[in-house]
Amino acid sequence: MPVTRRGFLSAPAALTATLLPTGLLAALNAQIPAPPDLSNWEAVRAQFALDPAYLHFASFFIASHPAPVAAAIDGYRRLIDRNPFLVVEQGLFETAEQNLPLQVQTEIADYLGARAQEVCLTGNTTTGLALVYQGLPLQPGDEVLCTTHDHYSHHESIRLATERAGASMRKIPLFDDAATATTDALIAAMLKGIGPKTRVLGLTWVHSSSGIRLPIREMAAALRARSGPPVLLVVDGVHGLGSTDETVATMGCDYFCAGTHKWMFAPRGTGLVWASADNWARLRPSIPSFSDEDQYVAWERQSAPASPNNANRMSPGGFHAYEHQWATAAAFRMHRQMGRARVAARIRSLNEQCKAGLAAIPKLRLHTPMSSDLSAGLVSFEVDGIRPPELVKRLLARNVIASTSPYAISYARLAPSLVNSPEEVERAVRAVREISM
Ligand SMILES: Cc1ncc(COP(=O)(O)O)c(C=O)c1O
């Protein structure tokens, strides 16, 4: 439930009511610009102010704000700068119709196939993972299982939470070589890894090390079908959201954490966690929320909230960069306009082209599966005799922006995305080929 009680954490009700000019909500809503033409990929690319001197193959790292998102941020910023109190007060604490975080949650829910009240707004993937793992009712002796392939933010969220609870964490490999992994082998490795104390399993949808995309839907189904105590599934979904045609809320995970400032092109410093109402009720919040009325009223009455925990109560409170949080809706609208299936098909075709081109280079070893069913927008590779940072440096010297994966074993990465064309992919592959000769 969003906060709709007048004056929550701010001005007394009567003062707020008399101060509010009519038309402020209309002014706020007017900041969402009319949709641009996104009917072809050149038009989509034109929404980004990316430096044309470079080929941008590391866009998944952090988004360049496309024009509709930049316009929404600017609009909200102008309004907040003119009237910080009135705009933030009304945008957060007035009626449900005026509540801007709720509008963002509604837009996100539509994309995820979820309900607005199941969506928790966070600042990034890392915060979402930490909130979930810290919130789980782990007991001494419980085990959180994850994989050797997960990101630093995921591993550390588990380590910090299990240490505090007196629980343990264990990491298992799901494959030796991502490039040759199969759905059956991934499922078998996952099931084999689950032990008698395992209560929670952490998986990563699209790995930023090897580029493999785990078949989460199939793995979640196998997890549910096994006998034994139930295991909650937490997914770091950041590189699948916005690159893959999936309905996240039906994929089978219990907690889905993602930043929206990568593939979704939402403002930098935005993210989400999705869970069902039952799964939110299992968690304990660790940061006071500014968006759950029951929590605030209970505090006024000097008691604990009587209602079950929920997504809003998990959303970190304190004031935020609201022009960024609110403009998240513009990014999700842009994705809806482009079409989830159409976006995924474009990313798939650019990545297939990239992988085919790289695979034909003699001294190059691909770490990402060739199958588009087990990959998404990241292509990881090594070239014999050239260390990944050196390779990335040499690509940059040819104005190709690539990246290295931030893991103990690091690879070079190209990430063809909506800001690239087939011709750019061809040029990037050619640059790798020339460097490798
Ligand atoms: C798999 C994975 N998880 C989490 C993160 C951290 O994301 P954020 O910056 O949204 O916290 C990254 C960073 O790129 C990542 O690759």
Side-chain angles (χ1 to χ4, degrees):
M1 179 176 49
V3 169
T4 56
R5 192 175 133 277
R6 283 181 184 276
F8 171 57
L9 293 181
S10 58
L15 176 63
T16 314
T18 52
L19 277 178
L20 276 180
T22 54
L24 198 52
L25 178 66
L28 281 163
N29 281 335
Q31 301 314 317
I32 300 289
D37 171 23
L38 300 176
S39 58
N40 62 74
W41 298 116
E42 290 72 35
V44 170
R45 174 65 176 80
Q47 305 305 312
F48 295 86
L50 289 161
D51 186 343
Y54 293 94
L55 302 186
H56 296 269
F57 282 93
S59 297
F60 69 92
F61 186 71
I62 189 145
S64 163
H65 296 157
V69 174
I73 294 172
D74 286 349
Y76 288 133
R77 180 184 296 129
R78 272 196 306 275
L79 285 175
I80 295 172
D81 283 339
R82 279 169 70 86
N83 271 309
F85 171 77
L86 294 179
V87 170
V88 172
E89 168 75 11
Q90 177 166 323
L92 295 190
F93 303 128
E94 290 290 317
T95 61
E97 299 73 52
Q98 293 168 325
N99 190 282
L100 286 164
L102 180 59
Q103 289 184 16
V104 174
Q105 289 165 296
T106 304
E107 213 44 77
I108 292 176
D110 184 64
Y111 185 86
L112 302 181
R115 285 192 280 261
Q117 62 269 31
E118 296 169 343
V119 176
C120 165
L121 301 179
T122 68
N124 46 51
T125 325
T126 307
T127 304
L129 289 165
L131 288 170
V132 168
Y133 284 107
Q134 293 285 346
L136 287 164
L138 294 170
Q139 303 293 324
D142 288 351
E143 176 188 82
V144 177
L145 184 69
C146 62
T147 80
T148 52
H149 321 290
D150 305 306
H151 189 264
Y152 158 86
S153 298
H154 202 163
H155 284 163
E156 283 298 277
S157 292
I158 298 174
R159 184 181 69 83
L160 296 171
T162 49
E163 271 183 13
R164 184 160 302 172
S168 61
M169 83 181 277
R170 188 161 53 90
K171 300 176 197 164
I172 52 160
L174 291 176
F175 46 78
D176 291 331
D177 176 12
T180 57
T182 62
T183 296
D184 286 349
L186 291 165
I187 291 173
M190 172 190 74
L191 294 178
K192 186 166 161 249
I194 293 170
K197 295 180 187 168
T198 309
R199 298 288 168 268
V200 182
L201 170 65
L203 294 177
T204 302
W205 193 4
V206 177
H207 292 195
S208 47
S209 47
S210 65
I212 192 172
R213 170 161 63 92
L214 296 187
I216 296 289
R217 189 172 280 280
E218 291 79 357
M219 294 175 85
L223 190 64
R224 303 274 171 268
R226 63 178 246 298
S227 52
V231 171
L232 291 169
L233 177 58
V234 180
V235 171
D236 171 351
V238 67
H239 296 299
L241 188 73
S243 70
T244 304
D245 187 20
E246 250 297 5
T247 304
V248 164
T250 65
M251 217 164 36
C253 44
D254 293 296
Y255 301 96
F256 180 90
C257 309
T260 47
H261 50 191
K262 297 182 193 280
W263 297 87
M264 290 305 300
F265 314 134
R268 294 179 282 270
T270 59
L272 63 89
V273 181
W274 169 83
S276 68
D278 285 349
N279 280 330
W280 283 123
R282 290 177 201 274
L283 301 188
R284 277 181 307 236
S286 35
I287 300 175
S289 165
F290 272 24
S291 47
D292 181 50
E293 187 179 357
D294 286 356
Q295 186 180 8
Y296 179 70
V297 172
W299 171 78
E300 282 184 319
R301 293 180 185 150
Q302 302 191 48
S303 61
S307 58
N309 186 42
N310 61 60
N312 275 332
R313 203 174 297 164
M314 290 297 290
S315 184
F319 285 155
H320 294 287
Y322 287 115
E323 57 271 58
H324 276 219
Q325 187 191 75
W326 298 345
T328 300
F332 278 78
R333 274 192 201 133
M334 182 175 166
H335 270 266
R336 179 147 45 96
Q337 196 191 334
M338 291 186 290
R340 206 174 58 197
R342 198 170 142 247
V343 166
R346 170 70 168 184
I347 293 173
R348 174 183 277 241
S349 120
L350 292 173
N351 278 268
E352 282 173 353
Q353 180 194 348
C354 183
K355 281 185 282 190
L358 291 178
I361 297 174
K363 284 195 275 176
L364 188 142
R365 177 159 173 232
L366 265 185
H367 289 285
T368 309
M370 286 302 277
S371 163
S372 290
D373 293 337
L374 288 180
S375 58
L378 293 167
V379 181
S380 298
F381 57 97
E382 285 176 291
V383 173
D384 275 358
I386 310 176
R387 292 185 56 249
E390 178 59 25
L391 180 57
V392 166
K393 209 165 126 193
R394 289 199 215 167
L395 283 168
L396 187 58
R398 290 165 193 251
N399 290 2
V400 177
I401 300 183
S403 60
T404 53
S405 50
Y407 293 81
I409 299 173
S410 181
Y411 305 131
R413 295 179 298 194
L414 286 173
S417 73
L418 296 190
V419 305
N420 304 118
S421 63
E423 192 259 332
E424 287 190 353
V425 171
E426 180 48 42
R427 283 166 59 198
V429 170
R430 196 183 317 135
V432 176
R433 191 184 307 122
E434 286 166 5
I435 291 167
S436 73
M437 286 195 309

